[in-house]
Amino acid sequence: MNQDTTKHQGKRRRLANILSEKGIKDTAVLAAIASIPRHLFLDSSFEDHAYQDKAFPIGAEQTISQPYTVAFQSEQLMLKPGMRVLEIGTGSGYQTAVLCHMGAEVYSIERQHELFRTSLKRLPALGFSPKKLIFGDGYKGFPEKAPFDRIIVTAGAPVVPEALLAQLAVGGRMVIPVGDEQQKMTIITRTSQADFEKLILGEFRFVPLLGDKN
Ligand code: SAM
């Protein structure tokens, strides 16, 4: 495995400062960005670029999200240590590591086997202990462990999956980009068993949340 050096540490502290200047305020999010070796979630050919505020390919036609997007979604979760979080789209495992660093009990689902297998090895090797990494279809959520205090979807969903709404705890919060080409970052709060409130916070661009047929 590649090394983590003081040079990398300096670069990620600078990245956290850039995200703070871009408006991220949650100190737990900034501390996670400043601490987690993003270059070790990427192919070594990206080592020199890993602390730029950019998305990069991770194989299987997928990407690690831009750090600003990771920070924005993590902040919008309004996470407290010990909360149960369901993540859809483990990808490289970087966002999973951010949630673990913030003290969450993380369940994360990935539908690409190659990415699932890599994260299954990578996260414990880097000292992160998600509660469970699941190989499967995130549209279905993870009913075995529902309800979740927080749900984060890291791919663009054409619609909000019904199964995820059903698995959100009352008082819980979901952060999900909704749309096809561009996505509206949608925050859903479950205010009672039957009621949900929706808030839209800006536009982002994600790879699509893929269903059974694609
Ligand atoms: N959070 C990831 C990271 O930090 O690297 C970035 C995720 S990437 C933008 C979106 C991920 O969602 C991809 O790894 C993709 O394979 C996964 N994905 C797409 N559709 C999915 C589905 N139905 N269920 C689970 N994962 C899915």
Side-chain angles (χ1 to χ4, degrees):
M1 184 180 287
N2 292 342
Q3 296 297 309
D4 187 28
T5 65
T6 51
K7 184 183 83 177
H8 297 117
Q9 289 158 17
K11 283 187 178 184
R12 56 184 184 259
R13 274 198 298 273
R14 276 196 293 283
L15 174 60
N17 287 340
I18 288 167
L19 299 183
S20 162
E21 283 161 13
K22 288 186 175 179
I24 302 298
K25 293 190 179 58
D26 187 329
T27 53
V29 173
L30 293 170
I33 300 282
S35 158
I36 298 171
R38 188 173 189 247
H39 66 288
L40 299 181
F41 290 79
L42 287 163
D43 183 87
S44 57
S45 57
F46 294 106
E47 184 176 351
D48 290 342
H49 308 288
Y51 296 100
Q52 293 173 6
D53 189 15
K54 287 186 180 160
F56 291 108
I58 54 171
E61 297 178 8
Q62 304 302 322
T63 53
I64 185 172
S65 299
Q66 183 185 342
Y68 177 75
T69 304
V70 171
F72 187 87
Q73 287 198 283
S74 303
E75 180 166 80
Q76 287 306 324
L77 280 177
M78 296 187 170
L79 199 55
K80 295 195 184 69
M83 282 184 166
R84 291 154 58 78
V85 180
L86 177 65
E87 177 191 22
I88 310 300
T90 316
S92 68
Y94 180 74
Q95 171 77 73
T96 316
V98 168
L99 299 171
C100 290
H101 194 278
M102 293 174 76
E105 192 176 290
V106 187
Y107 296 82
S108 184
I109 308 179
E110 173 57 55
R111 83 189 280 284
Q112 302 280 359
H113 199 258
E114 170 192 342
L115 298 175
F116 163 73
R117 241 190 7 246
T118 304
S119 296
L120 203 57
K121 285 199 205 131
R122 175 184 282 146
L123 284 161
L126 294 175
F128 298 100
S129 310
K131 201 77 181 164
K132 194 166 176 62
L133 298 181
I134 302 132
F135 172 56
D137 180 5
Y139 270 98
K140 299 183 177 131
F142 193 52
E144 294 90 319
K145 293 291 175 183
F148 295 95
D149 302 308
R150 300 289 185 262
I151 298 179
I152 173 172
V153 180
T154 70
V159 293
V160 181
E162 282 296 326
L164 298 187
L165 287 172
Q167 291 171 37
L168 188 62
V170 173
R173 193 171 166 92
M174 180 179 345
V175 178
I176 175 169
V178 183
D180 294 323
E181 292 283 292
Q182 288 236 108
Q183 295 84 29
K184 293 184 190 324
M185 191 61 79
T186 307
I187 316 295
I188 296 170
T189 309
R190 187 169 200 166
T191 52
S192 74
Q193 198 57 35
D195 299 303
F196 297 85
E197 276 175 14
K198 195 162 103 177
L199 175 70
I200 290 173
L201 295 177
E203 300 226 325
F204 289 77
R205 204 176 275 269
F206 283 81
V207 293
L209 186 69
L210 300 173
D212 278 342
K213 293 185 190 65
N214 40 26

